[in-house]
Amino acid sequence: MKHTVRSLVASDVEAEAAVNATLRECARKAGWTRELGVTLPGGSPLLHGFTSVFRNAKEAEDIGYRVLIREPQSSVDLPEDMNLKIYGADPEASAGDGTLQVRVELEPGGTVVSEPATGCLAEARTAVYGSVEDHIRLSNVINRVLNSGSNRAQSRFLGVLGDVRNEYSSCMKGRGYDIGVMQVERWVSQNMKPYRDAGEKPSGEELRLASADGTCQEQVQLAQKLDDAYFEVAGDWVNKHESDLLALAEKKKQAHERALAVLSSTEGKQP
């Protein structure tokens, strides 16, 4: 189950890019030909809640650092009628109207999350995730995972960072970077500017830094040790929800396959 839970909270940049591409194409068909602002999810924390933790150099090179992804341009000037066509009904405006919203109860008697059932964004999410409901469940599983144990394991996580600090720093210095453990993303945000779009792979200095970071993290087994600390606290919750988590992992796998197909079919069409 450890692999299953890790896969659920891992970032899927192809799925994000596929939703973005499908949304833009739908908006174009609806008559919107200008730049369209799209709000993408933030970086995906792992089981411990930290971002930019990698299992090896390849993973780091593939994902890189979210702070270097360009923010889409704002679409605050989107006319009301076009906003409805593209983004669907506002949950506040359609309160009580179940036909316009997809509502999902994440846990029995727990939080209920709503998303528009109509509009280009709903169509894009359905194209990639299979349904708006499945998008809600997959995009919110990270909160369930973190709430199940991460908030109670902070001292364990800090202990792990302390244990690997010296070895990690030595490894990074050997590769030309005087940056401490879990400090790379901060260094990147202070010394580099966003230069790529969601779905694009890292390159140049980011790629070189990510390679060094991922190599050193693997050397000290940072991801493995942080995950182990999480499961020490949240193991009971994971076992209790095993069937649900396995089903969600299969849906995420299917969504990734759909995303690859979407990106392949739209290659060269997006500006």
Side-chain angles (χ1 to χ4, degrees), residues 263-271:
L263 293 175
S264 177
S265 66
T266 58
E267 187 175 359
K269 294 181 180 180
Q270 299 303 317

Side-chain angles (χ1 to χ4, degrees), residues 121-254:
L121 183 56
E123 290 183 23
R125 286 170 172 167
T126 298
V128 174
Y129 292 95
S131 68
V132 174
E133 178 180 348
D134 283 345
H135 172 264
I136 292 175
R137 293 192 182 283
L138 284 170
S139 62
N140 284 277
V141 70
I142 180 61
N143 295 323
R144 298 173 61 197
V145 168
L146 294 179
N147 290 336
S148 68
S150 294
N151 294 334
R152 293 179 285 124
Q154 290 302 311
S155 62
R156 288 178 170 84
F157 298 150
L158 293 176
V160 168
L161 297 183
D163 290 342
V164 306
R165 180 176 291 114
N166 291 338
E167 184 179 356
Y168 174 89
S169 295
S170 177
C171 176
M172 287 292 283
K173 286 180 180 178
R175 286 161 175 76
Y177 295 100
D178 187 11
I179 308 175
V181 64
M182 298 305 298
Q183 298 298 313
V184 175
E185 195 165 46
R186 178 186 297 177
W187 185 93
V188 166
S189 65
Q190 293 174 344
N191 293 277
M192 301 175 67
K193 294 181 179 180
Y195 73 99
R196 59 186 172 95
D197 296 325
E200 290 184 7
K201 299 295 185 182
S203 62
E205 180 60 27
E206 181 190 13
L207 182 61
R208 290 188 289 272
L209 177 57
S211 181
D213 187 18
T215 297
C216 293
Q217 288 192 35
E218 182 179 19
Q219 178 176 307
V220 302
Q221 296 183 303
L222 178 61
Q224 181 64 54
K225 291 175 180 178
L226 289 172
D227 285 357
D228 288 345
Y230 166 85
F231 282 108
E232 288 174 7
V233 172
D236 289 344
W237 179 88
V238 171
N239 292 332
K240 179 181 178 181
H241 293 83
E242 179 176 357
S243 60
D244 179 34
L245 294 172
L246 286 171
L248 285 172
E250 179 60 27
K251 288 182 181 297
K252 183 171 183 177
K253 178 182 176 182
Q254 294 170 0

Side-chain angles (χ1 to χ4, degrees), residues 33-154:
T33 57
R34 296 169 55 191
E35 178 67 19
L36 182 65
V38 180
T39 301
L40 294 174
S44 295
L46 299 186
L47 307 182
H48 36 74
F50 298 116
T51 58
S52 300
V53 173
F54 310 110
R55 301 195 175 279
N56 49 54
K58 183 181 185 306
E59 185 174 273
E61 292 164 4
D62 286 343
I63 297 175
Y65 306 98
R66 290 298 296 257
V67 294
L68 296 181
I69 295 177
R70 284 191 292 255
E71 288 290 332
Q73 295 183 17
S74 173
S75 59
V76 294
D77 59 343
L78 200 64
E80 185 176 350
D81 61 334
M82 190 61 68
N83 189 75
L84 186 64
K85 289 180 181 179
I86 296 174
Y87 293 109
D90 187 324
E92 297 286 338
S94 58
D97 188 347
T99 62
L100 296 178
Q101 296 292 312
V102 176
R103 291 180 170 83
V104 175
E105 188 177 61
L106 300 180
E107 301 274 3
T111 302
V112 176
V113 177
S114 299
E115 287 185 4
T118 60
C120 287
L121 183 56
E123 290 183 23
R125 286 170 172 167
T126 298
V128 174
Y129 292 95
S131 68
V132 174
E133 178 180 348
D134 283 345
H135 172 264
I136 292 175
R137 293 192 182 283
L138 284 170
S139 62
N140 284 277
V141 70
I142 180 61
N143 295 323
R144 298 173 61 197
V145 168
L146 294 179
N147 290 336
S148 68
S150 294
N151 294 334
R152 293 179 285 124
Q154 290 302 311

